[in-house]
Amino acid sequence: MNGQEKTTLKDTHSLALADRHDMSISGVKEVTGFDETYVLLQTLCGELCIEGSQLRIGVLDTERGQVTLTGQIDAILYRSAEEGKRGLFGRRSR
């Protein structure tokens, strides 16, 4: 890798899920909404909605782009920046 290809933790987006209960996400720009049934995040790869029950945010470090969640995770949905607000994402972000 040359100097121009150097990536930092904040330049990449990844998601790790263990047992549908513990989730670690990198490349998070902002948390735009949450309660115990959903978490809505702006990531480097678009808007991300995690749905479930008893969801809790553990680590929230937007400077490094890191978020961890615990709880029952039932769905993981992405929406690219080009898509209009509709469906679940439209309802959640109002």
Side-chain angles (χ1 to χ4, degrees):
M1 258 199 314
N2 65 35
Q4 294 174 343
E5 295 174 10
K6 182 179 178 185
T7 50
T8 64
L9 186 58
K10 195 167 182 172
D11 292 335
T12 62
H13 171 63
S14 66
L15 185 146
L17 177 62
D19 299 323
R20 288 183 61 185
H21 187 271
D22 298 304
M23 180 179 276
S24 176
I25 308 158
S26 68
V28 176
K29 297 179 185 180
E30 178 181 13
V31 177
T32 56
F34 69 93
D35 67 16
E36 9 180 86
T37 63
Y38 82 99
V39 176
L40 190 60
L41 307 168
Q42 292 296 326
T43 75
L44 296 173
C45 292
E47 192 169 52
L48 172 63
C49 183
I50 296 107
E51 295 182 329
S53 58
Q54 299 177 342
L55 297 177
R56 303 267 186 259
I57 295 177
V59 172
L60 172 57
D61 184 348
T62 53
E63 187 172 308
R64 288 187 35 204
Q66 297 287 321
V67 173
T68 62
L69 304 173
T70 58
Q72 178 63 39
I73 296 169
D74 297 325
I76 302 167
L77 306 164
Y78 281 95
R79 184 183 72 175
S80 68
E82 294 80 36
E83 293 181 65
K85 294 195 183 294
R86 63 177 190 259
L88 169 70
F89 291 104
R91 289 193 303 271
R92 295 286 193 208
S93 57
R94 288 185 193 176

